[in-house]
Amino acid sequence: MGSLNVLSPGFLTTVQDLGRDHYAHLGLSPSGAADAVSLRLGNLLVGNPPNAAALEMTLVGATIVFNSDCAIALVGSDFGATLDGCAVPRWQTVFVQSRQTLRCGSAASGARCYLCVGGGILAEIIMSSSSTHLQIALGGNRGGPLRSGDTFEFSGSGPHRALTVKPSVLEDLFTAGPLRVTGGPQVHLFSAMEQSLFSSSIYIVEEESNRMGLRLSGPPLIETIREEMLTEGISVGAIQVPPSGKPIILFVEHPTTGGYPKIANVISADMHRVGQLQPRNDVRFEFVTVNAAISLLHERETILKSENCLQPI
């Protein structure tokens, strides 16, 4: 058993795993890692199960001192991390000695970086998950972000050799380009011109975006006057359009019901890319078929479930 102390929590650092599925009927959205692909790769690098809890850092990272030897991996965006002043590479296993200090700065690109530790961060399990749901103050670190002085334990196990993610895997999983979407349940309520405008325009992520949803500014979708609709269930990745005409990508802490029409839904294979969007980033959308979405998810899962995605250093 090992432990770490939080000297500085950064802007927003939380305990996250892969979230709580199958509780939407109770009004609970999944929460979990905003970039689940990075979390899964990080856990592979330190010998953890895919769902092991880690620390998710947003925009500005934490400063942490380790109280015991352990294996760690930093994955996701580049936060300019150093270990006792020496640069820490991302996407590979790093062996840390007791009393060493990890300092993570501001995001050079993307929005989130994950600190995975051998054995996983130990936190209370609620509804099969240790993830933090900030909107309802549930799970993780007493339902909230990390604070200076917090201490977390981990089992201390880890790999016996250093591994790294193959560059070809990162290229396949994090290719830039439009977010691919399928038609939403109310796409028929939007005119052909609005659908074309949606898929051909550049939108900008607004400052008010968070883990509940990403608000987008750009050409408003207000050509057609739409009648009020009955409230219905909402899934993660749904893109709803309120009366302002400005789309909102509903994210991991989304409300489970809503009454705004949904023009599209980000495909599961691209949801991890949504988790790396930060305010003022550009976003474009591309419609694909449901069959294409299923095929792309299958391709992603084949990569992630293969030990061939890693190689020794």
Side-chain angles (χ1 to χ4, degrees):
M1 188 71 69
S3 67
L4 58 83
N5 293 337
V6 179
L7 301 183
S8 171
F11 173 68
L12 177 64
T13 301
T14 57
V15 176
Q16 299 294 345
D17 54 25
L18 295 181
R20 299 177 179 85
D21 291 325
H22 313 304
Y23 291 101
H25 64 294
L26 300 178
L28 182 63
S29 49
S31 187
D35 175 1
V37 167
S38 288
L39 175 68
R40 291 169 65 179
L41 288 171
N43 277 327
L44 278 175
L45 289 167
V46 295
N48 290 343
N51 195 37
L55 299 183
E56 177 184 275
M57 297 178 280
T58 304
L59 297 180
V60 179
T63 299
I64 289 167
V65 60
F66 295 89
N67 299 322
S68 53
D69 297 354
C70 61
I72 68 169
L74 286 173
V75 293
S77 297
D78 182 4
F79 277 44
T82 61
L83 187 65
D84 285 353
C86 298
V88 179
R90 291 178 298 147
W91 306 111
Q92 72 177 55
T93 313
V94 175
F95 295 103
V96 176
Q97 296 180 342
S98 177
R99 307 314 304 166
Q100 285 193 293
T101 300
L102 177 72
R103 299 181 186 277
C104 298
S106 301
S109 62
R112 293 176 173 91
C113 178
Y114 294 85
L115 170 61
C116 299
V117 184
I121 298 295
L122 300 180
E124 183 181 7
I125 296 176
I126 302 174
M127 296 181 176
S128 306
S129 171
S130 296
S131 64
T132 307
H133 197 304
L134 294 171
Q135 300 300 321
I136 59 173
L138 176 73
N141 187 42
R142 300 179 294 275
L146 271 60
R147 299 176 294 188
S148 297
D150 284 339
T151 298
F152 293 93
E153 293 185 335
F154 49 88
S155 75
S157 61
H160 300 294
R161 60 175 180 169
L163 302 168
T164 186
V165 181
K166 291 180 178 179
S168 59
V169 170
L170 295 176
E171 184 177 349
D172 287 341
L173 293 174
F174 293 95
T175 301
L179 288 174
R180 292 163 293 191
V181 299
T182 54
Q186 286 82 40
V187 66
H188 62 282
L189 298 181
F190 295 85
S191 68
M193 182 177 295
E194 287 175 311
Q195 294 179 42
S196 176
L197 183 65
F198 172 76
S199 61
S200 64
S201 299
I202 296 176
Y203 289 91
I204 307 298
V205 179
E206 295 185 352
E207 298 282 348
E208 294 79 9
S209 300
N210 53 30
R211 284 171 53 86
M212 181 187 294
L214 284 74
R215 296 179 178 272
L216 307 177
S217 60
L221 306 176
I222 53 175
E223 179 192 63
T224 304
I225 298 177
R226 285 173 282 274
E227 298 180 359
E228 290 188 7
M229 52 176 281
L230 293 176
T231 296
E232 64 180 17
I234 299 176
S235 63
V236 64
I239 303 176
Q240 66 178 13
V241 181
S244 67
K246 297 165 64 174
I248 302 170
I249 305 175
L250 296 173
F251 204 37
V252 291
E253 295 187 12
H254 64 86
T256 55
T257 61
Y260 296 135
K262 294 167 284 295
I263 189 172
N265 208 102
V266 178
I267 68 172
S268 297
D270 279 359
M271 282 304 301
H272 65 288
R273 294 175 52 208
V274 177
Q276 292 296 350
L277 292 172
Q278 60 174 264
R280 297 182 296 279
N281 278 170
D282 295 351
V283 181
R284 294 187 64 185
F285 299 101
E286 176 187 352
F287 279 105
V288 298
T289 65
V290 172
N291 285 340
I294 293 171
S295 177
L296 289 164
L297 180 60
H298 177 73
E299 290 175 11
R300 190 194 78 175
E301 290 304 296
T302 298
I303 294 172
L304 287 172
K305 291 178 180 178
S306 171
E307 293 184 359
N308 293 329
C309 68
L310 307 180
Q311 63 186 17
I313 297 175

